[in-house]
Amino acid sequence: MLWPALRVLSNGDLASHQFQELLGVLQLEAIPRTDGPGATRSVAHRALARDTSTRLILDLARTGTSGWVFTLFFDGEPPSTATVEAYRVLLRGTVEQFGLALVEITPAASADEVHVVPSAPGGAPESTLAPAWDLPYDDLSQMWSHLGLRRDAPREVKEIKLREVMSSPAWPAAPAKLRRQAESFLHGA
């Protein structure tokens, strides 16, 4: 089974010749991947050399008319941190080289790799329903995985994701213990 080790979401238009150049830069074959999650949206991929018992695949998929998803998949043991970081550098450079807008990188290593959903416009009507906290968490250490973060995620990434949750209408209904821990975390404690 293929699992994503690194996923880079970007947005932008590519002319046909730019798309072909991008495939060349990443040495991808214009053959869609046929297995693993998101295979139906795959447009190109390549199998990477194995340095351990892990199988690695670099994939390019489309989302909508101008969305691009670059994913490093693995089968077996997760790739080393050094391998993931090398592909992070390669894929960020590719996004920049082709003038694509970086939307998000998972797992995020810095604040600019976190996608923050824009808040509703100021004139949007408020819901008449009372906000509810439906999550079973009352401790901040339990909530990181729900936010798509590992416990060892960089602090700046945790801060952005936490602020996003705290700005939701449901936050005031969160357990008091969790709200205190979140405030303490954001104030450096």
Side-chain angles (χ1 to χ4, degrees):
M1 175 77 177
L2 293 178
W3 298 96
L6 180 69
R7 184 181 59 140
V8 177
L9 299 176
S10 63
N11 195 16
D13 294 320
L14 292 176
S16 179
H17 74 279
Q18 290 175 305
F19 175 71
Q20 292 304 317
E21 186 180 341
L22 183 143
L23 294 181
V25 166
L26 296 177
Q27 301 174 1
L28 299 175
E29 296 179 51
I31 300 170
R33 178 175 47 85
T34 58
D35 64 332
T40 58
R41 295 182 183 251
S42 176
V43 295
H45 79 286
R46 76 172 160 122
L48 304 168
R50 295 180 185 202
D51 57 353
T52 63
S53 62
T54 300
R55 178 173 69 127
L56 295 175
I57 294 176
L58 183 59
D59 184 68
L60 175 61
R62 293 297 309 259
T63 61
T65 58
S66 62
W68 302 93
V69 183
F70 302 87
T71 308
L72 177 65
F73 287 102
F74 70 95
D75 183 15
E77 290 296 313
S80 69
T81 301
T83 298
V84 172
E85 291 311 307
Y87 279 94
R88 180 187 310 276
V89 170
L90 172 67
L91 296 175
R92 280 193 74 140
T94 302
V95 165
E96 184 177 311
Q97 177 183 348
F98 287 91
L100 301 172
L102 179 64
V103 175
E104 176 179 56
I105 299 180
T106 306
S110 61
D112 68 330
E113 295 179 353
V114 178
H115 176 65
V116 178
V117 178
S119 57
E126 296 241 353
S127 171
T128 57
L129 299 174
W133 184 259
D134 292 335
L135 299 175
Y137 312 116
D138 68 351
D139 190 272
L140 188 58
S141 66
Q142 299 168 333
M143 200 169 81
W144 296 127
S145 64
H146 178 79
L147 299 177
L149 301 172
R150 298 183 318 254
R151 288 180 191 253
D152 65 347
R155 182 176 182 85
E156 66 180 314
V157 171
K158 287 181 174 179
E159 288 175 1
I160 289 171
K161 291 295 219 177
L162 186 56
R163 287 182 199 284
E164 186 176 22
V165 169
M166 292 172 71
S167 69
S168 77
W171 184 249
K177 176 184 172 186
L178 178 62
R179 293 192 322 263
R180 284 191 305 273
Q181 289 176 344
E183 288 294 334
S184 178
F185 180 83
L186 291 176
H187 289 96

